[in-house]
Amino acid sequence: MKEVTFIRQNIEKWREAEQVAEHMTTTDVPTLADTYIDVTSDLAFAQTHYPQSKITLYLNNLASALHNEIFRVRRYRWSRLWTFWTHEVPLTMWEARRELLLSFTVFVASAAIGLLSQLFDPEFCRIILGDSYVDMTLQNIAEGTPMAVYDSDAEDAMFGSITLNNVRVSFVVFVMGVFTSVATGFFLFKNGVMLGSFQTFFAQHGLLWQSALAVWLHGTLEISAIIVAGAAGMAMGNSWLFPGTYPRLVSFRRGARRGLRIVVGTVPVFVVAGFIESFLPRHTEWPDALRLTVIGGSLAFVIYYFIILPKKRSNEYRKTSDQALPDAQVR
């Protein structure tokens, strides 16, 4: 590769790395580590192909500055947690926006498949949900309490078990990315088909509105978080399937770190979803307007935190990195 091509391909990334180097005291450790890996990889390439170039010297100085900060003993403050969820996770979500779109598409398509399968075969839900669950639900419908499954246990016990299960599911979706993004896609497909058949099953019994209100009270957050976890798994899976200019192992480490940051960021969402599922759906006597308000508020949060805020943080970051590279202009 010609040196001018190398510079053109990476100049924006180096500008961002400069900003990280200049604001080390306020930059999170994962971002420092990712930037350091990027710069050292480019430095190794430059040392091999352009050993006497100014760009090699520039990258060496930049890598040294990042190295000294990463391995220097740092004192962490409680504000670090706030920064993680308000800056690190949104910025990482912006980087994974394509994976998020793909994850959403897979889930919606699979839900549509579940819907059509249930429409053409009313017994399809037994394959997906199991005979015992379907029989129990049919009995509840016959007794006039179709949503009785939500008040079968004590509220506090349900909260703990549901939250732990939701977090476990999110990490499983993420870890499946180790076996390529296709494995994560399959897990999303399975959950999407389940949702589609479940809602269609209730629709076939004239209970679509009632079931939708109960399911989406918690499902708006829960399902959205699963889709986000799917994006994390795809980010990790794609990192070693398509390493680009990085060595495959380096690319995988970057993808795994990015995906883990995303999936950890969904944990509070699952906690809130678990709380809602444990305490609210059982109150079918509540007015629809109140339940729709909860659903609408949850949807607004999801759209803002996982779509709008990431773009906002990215724009802020780009504004601070809008400066020229010293001694590294394209010649």
Side-chain angles (χ1 to χ4, degrees), residues 303-320:
I303 293 174
Y304 176 77
Y305 188 73
F306 292 110
I307 299 176
I308 297 176
L309 184 59
K311 185 175 182 179
K312 178 181 177 182
R313 292 288 184 247
S314 176
N315 290 337
E316 292 173 354
Y317 192 81
R318 286 183 180 277
K319 287 180 181 178
T320 61

Side-chain angles (χ1 to χ4, degrees), residues 213 217 280 283 285-297:
L213 285 178
L217 266 175
L280 302 189
H283 296 289
E285 75 281 1
W286 287 3
D288 291 353
L290 178 59
R291 292 190 284 177
L292 285 171
T293 299
V294 175
I295 294 172

